[in-house]
Amino acid sequence: MSKSLDYENLNENVKECQYAVRGELYLRASELQKEGKKIIFTNVGNPHALGQKPLTFPRQVVALCQAPFLLDDPNVGLFFPADAIAKVKHYISLTSGGLGAYSDSRGLPGIRKEVAEFIERRDGYPSDPELIFLTGGASIGVMQILQSIIRGAHDGILVPVPQYPLYSATISLLGGSLVPYFLEETANWGLDIGNLRQSVAQARSQGITVRAMVIINPGNPTGQCLSEANLKEILNFCYQNNVVLLGDEVYQQNIYQDERPFISARKVLMDMGPPISKEVELVSFHTVSKGYWGECGQRGGYFEMTNISPRTVEEIYKISSIALSPNVPAQIFMGLMVNPPKPGDISYDQYNRESKGILESLRKRAHIMTDGFNSCRNVVCNFTEGAMYSFPQIRLPPKAIEAAKNAGKVPDVFYCLKLLEATGISTVPGSGFGQKEGVFHLRTTILPAEEDMPAIMDSFKKFNDEFMEQYEDYRGYSRM
Amino acid sequence: MSKSLDYENLNENVKECQYAVRGELYLRASELQKEGKKIIFTNVGNPHALGQKPLTFPRQVVALCQAPFLLDDPNVGLFFPADAIAKVKHYISLTSGGLGAYSDSRGLPGIRKEVAEFIERRDGYPSDPELIFLTGGASIGVMQILQSIIRGAHDGILVPVPQYPLYSATISLLGGSLVPYFLEETANWGLDIGNLRQSVAQARSQGITVRAMVIINPGNPTGQCLSEANLKEILNFCYQNNVVLLGDEVYQQNIYQDERPFISARKVLMDMGPPISKEVELVSFHTVSKGYWGECGQRGGYFEMTNISPRTVEEIYKISSIALSPNVPAQIFMGLMVNPPKPGDISYDQYNRESKGILESLRKRAHIMTDGFNSCRNVVCNFTEGAMYSFPQIRLPPKAIEAAKNAGKVPDVFYCLKLLEATGISTVPGSGFGQKEGVFHLRTTILPAEEDMPAIMDSFKKFNDEFMEQYEDYRGYSRM
């Protein structure tokens, strides 16, 4: 007799969900690493794992919050600047017993207030702390909101393709339907509203109620920043179709082209005025894991709800309560992120120098990487306007596709595995994010250290060009 | 037209789930606190919120892990003892880039190894780190495991009544069926196997497949420790009925009676030998939030899987990956908890003094509280053998029940609200945990500071005895 937790008895939704970022490629890379091979993990946006140093000021504050007994030490000023000490006292006063006490399930009220003030400064419209929930990373928030929405397979969620697989995995897990809309690679991954309408029409013809739409802005894995005009079209679309917009804006500080700034969905919504600004339901997500912070391991995030009914907000509060509270240290990181040192503060110069240094280097790396990919045989790549990924298209020769088939692999998985074995570069195949039929990509982060980047791109080019030569030659040969 | 996220369009499972620990009573208490009333929050086991000081050594280690740049400071030894510094270096070497880098989704391998060694020391049987997953608190782990098990309303989970509402809420949220088994209040909340079999038979007659059984040991809210004999009966039952056992053992360090020690389900399982020791599927949960640590706000926990098929372990790994990784600082707390300072270490004496002090005080408070409740009119209370709760039975007079009905309240909610308004003591009504029909309880933690405890119990007694007098007198009066 099969046992209760045997594979065949598991929840089918669990079995069906796929999460490529930590899928076959990652598992193989981990194995190779155990065997002693040097692996460059560019499968996940994890800056500190690739040598990015944490910003000093927030670490000073959170360190001292963890050890508040040091505040009584007369020498504390030797180690911690006065503005950090002041922040420590401030944040401890906002907790209900220091970092070891559960907070309210929505997060500490005082920090939610700081987030609201940040949003107001950013967008020029007031924000209500009661509609901001702190979470243990943005992913958890996305999962909670999708859980509230999805009732079954007839509920559809519009998701960009290519997409970050958090969305496809969570929708599978919750038993909903993913309704794909394709981003246009030839238009630098822009969103075409006609295409969106078509996706909705098709889903409806299959009996699916489209209830929500996800945008990832700046894009993951695609790196584009949505224009104001595009955001307006999207919000109009949501209004006309009674669809809640989920705005994944975790890369809002990762912007590498001055002519294409980040604009929040909420600002555009408010700019549009009534009735749209009062009607369209919007949930926006942010995190401490990205930007120049990169504090992934701390697991801090928030979501902000706009035009969501109070009764629904209460229900979301209730389900947030089941896991009691998001972790408190990361809440303080969030407070510090939205309320960093100001000009004139003791730590301002250092904070500013560090954060600018990281952003400028990321911008340079975005260029090195895009240029590197575009110098390779059969590889084309849009420039990374934002976020931390490069998503080159790999034009695989037919014989490579055939070889993949013979090896029992999806073609881009085949390519990425060969790349991994040859160079130690651990990427994610485009199929993990979705792509048009017969078109292949890979995703890599732009996070390896700037000084390592040229060697990595050389190593990639050497592998790629040899790979192409092998499979193109082979094709040539077989033609004879 | 109703909007996508309006209450009526939400996932029904979200609406149906209840979470009393942060329910009506908690919300009312929060309101009163805002209005300036002094509230004693005993609704949730949150020791630091009631003044318990964190243990110094782990906080020193995690603080310095957050600020590793201090390691280069020649004065670091002024603030941090050498053994803490050594631990910092050790734990940072286990991360993949410090506390700011995502770990593997199962947690850092080095810390999972330390957990396995702890389990081996505790139980006398080896434990495999590959079967231990670190989580952001035990609740998250419970939710992941239940998610893997529950396929729909025909899947039943045996849950003790009274129970900690994490279980009922999660089962609702996942659309499964809770199959209650009653603990025997008159047998100090012991578990009667006959009763368990009856529950299963009844569920089966309703077409429910019973797939898992939850035990909470030591009990929450009931405070009992399961005996070895009882655990053997339970494991035999699981074997005969092909049921996976979920062992919530988060209070394993909170033991207040020497004659009734904590014994892990895993140790008893291994002691029983084959075939049972090789067959019964067991998942055991632990946390840094309880014990003498009480580091609730850090959100750290783990689960260990025994006799679970490798393919299922892979599936659970996959769904853990969707939210990327548990928070890293709490993983280090877990490492420190399972591998604390040893005799001879510089910090051993302080660590030992602090942890013993907390446990001894909790033991005293368990006595003060039980005795206090038993001195009250119409209140009877079992002694708290373990965990951090007292769960007195409140024998409400018929007229109080009638008054509750007139106020539109469940009787124990009515009583607890009155208690809150009169005294500021914020408890959770027994109905939030489940209880036999017509029997009423409340749950309170034993966590208020020892020196405050006598005054709190006096205030409770005054309220209770007046309440009883009012409603008994009234009944007496109306009889005339």
Side-chain angles (χ1 to χ4, degrees), chain B residues 354-412:
Chain B
E354 289 174 352
S355 50
K356 277 225 170 101
I358 291 166
L359 268 191
E360 275 163 18
S361 171
L362 282 172
R363 185 184 284 235
K364 279 187 229 157
R365 284 179 267 173
H367 280 283
I368 298 172
M369 203 159 233
T370 310
D371 294 348
F373 283 132
N374 282 321
S375 79
C376 293
R377 195 158 160 178
N378 295 346
V379 178
V380 284
C381 186
N382 282 321
F383 178 65
T384 301
E385 295 172 345
M388 18 179 96
Y389 308 98
S390 192
F391 197 64
Q393 186 183 138
I394 314 291
R395 299 192 165 144
L396 294 174
K399 286 295 166 196
I401 296 172
E402 202 179 306
K405 209 186 226 170
N406 293 338
K409 300 283 176 199
V410 176
D412 54 7

Side-chain angles (χ1 to χ4, degrees), chain A residues 204-430:
Chain A
R204 285 187 183 150
S205 75
Q206 292 164 0
I208 289 171
T209 310
V210 175
R211 307 216 24 229
M213 172 176 179
V214 174
I215 53 172
I216 309 176
N217 181 34
N220 175 5
T222 43
Q224 84 287 14
C225 287
L226 293 174
S227 69
E228 192 178 344
N230 224 181
L231 283 164
K232 272 190 184 154
E233 287 181 301
I234 292 166
L235 287 160
N236 260 315
F237 167 86
C238 291
Y239 178 64
Q240 287 155 9
N241 289 276
N242 192 18
V243 151
V244 50
L245 185 64
L246 308 184
D248 179 337
E249 300 179 335
V250 298
Y251 297 101
Q252 61 188 266
Q253 291 180 310
N254 296 98
I255 301 298
Y256 313 121
Q257 267 197 176
D258 298 333
E259 57 271 37
R260 190 46 80 82
F262 165 77
I263 311 166
S264 79
R266 189 163 189 279
K267 174 174 167 42
V268 177
L269 177 63
M270 293 297 127
D271 284 349
M272 289 172 86
I276 290 191
S277 64
K278 299 219 176 276
E279 289 291 335
V280 173
E281 296 172 305
L282 170 67
V283 186
S284 307
F285 302 89
H286 201 4
T287 184
V288 301
S289 301
K290 309 301 171 187
Y292 34 85
W293 286 64
E295 291 280 9
C296 301
Q298 313 281 356
R299 314 308 296 119
Y302 76 75
F303 60 85
E304 185 203 18
M305 295 169 279
T306 306
N307 296 327
I308 308 290
S309 93
R311 218 167 150 198
T312 295
V313 173
E314 266 175 44
E315 291 296 308
I316 295 170
Y317 183 14
K318 183 182 71 184
I319 60 166
S320 303
S321 302
I322 303 175
L324 292 162
S325 88
N327 90 74
V328 176
Q331 296 184 40
I332 294 174
F333 275 106
M334 182 54 84
L336 290 160
M337 184 176 99
V338 297
N339 194 11
K342 288 172 192 52
D345 290 352
I346 301 164
S347 298
Y348 176 76
D349 285 343
Q350 185 185 16
Y351 180 86
N352 201 38
R353 193 170 60 245
E354 291 174 351
S355 51
K356 277 223 169 103
I358 292 166
L359 268 191
E360 276 163 19
S361 170
L362 282 173
R363 185 183 284 234
K364 279 186 230 158
R365 285 179 267 175
H367 281 284
I368 298 173
M369 202 160 234
T370 311
D371 294 348
F373 283 132
N374 283 321
S375 80
C376 293
R377 194 160 163 175
N378 295 345
V379 178
V380 285
C381 186
N382 283 321
F383 178 66
T384 301
E385 296 173 347
M388 14 179 99
Y389 308 99
S390 191
F391 197 64
Q393 186 183 137
I394 314 292
R395 297 189 167 147
L396 294 174
K399 286 295 167 197
I401 295 173
E402 203 180 304
K405 210 186 228 171
N406 293 338
K409 301 280 177 202
V410 176
D412 54 7
V413 173
F414 178 77
Y415 176 92
C416 290
L417 278 170
K418 293 259 181 209
L419 172 68
L420 172 66
E421 307 273 350
T423 64
I425 303 173
S426 163
T427 59
V428 187

Side-chain angles (χ1 to χ4, degrees), chain A residues 60 64 70-86 89 346, chain B residues 70 73 75 78-79:
Chain A
Q60 287 170 326
L64 198 46
L70 295 181
L71 287 172
D72 302 330
D73 192 307
N75 292 318
V76 70
L78 285 178
F79 276 14
F80 298 97
D83 55 351
I85 293 171
K89 291 178 180 165
I346 301 164
Chain B
L70 294 182
D73 192 306
N75 292 319
L78 285 178
F79 276 13

Side-chain angles (χ1 to χ4, degrees), chain B residues 233-248:
Chain B
E233 287 181 301
I234 292 166
L235 287 160
N236 259 316
F237 167 86
C238 290
Y239 178 64
Q240 289 155 6
N241 289 277
N242 193 17
V243 152
V244 50
L245 185 64
L246 308 184
D248 179 338

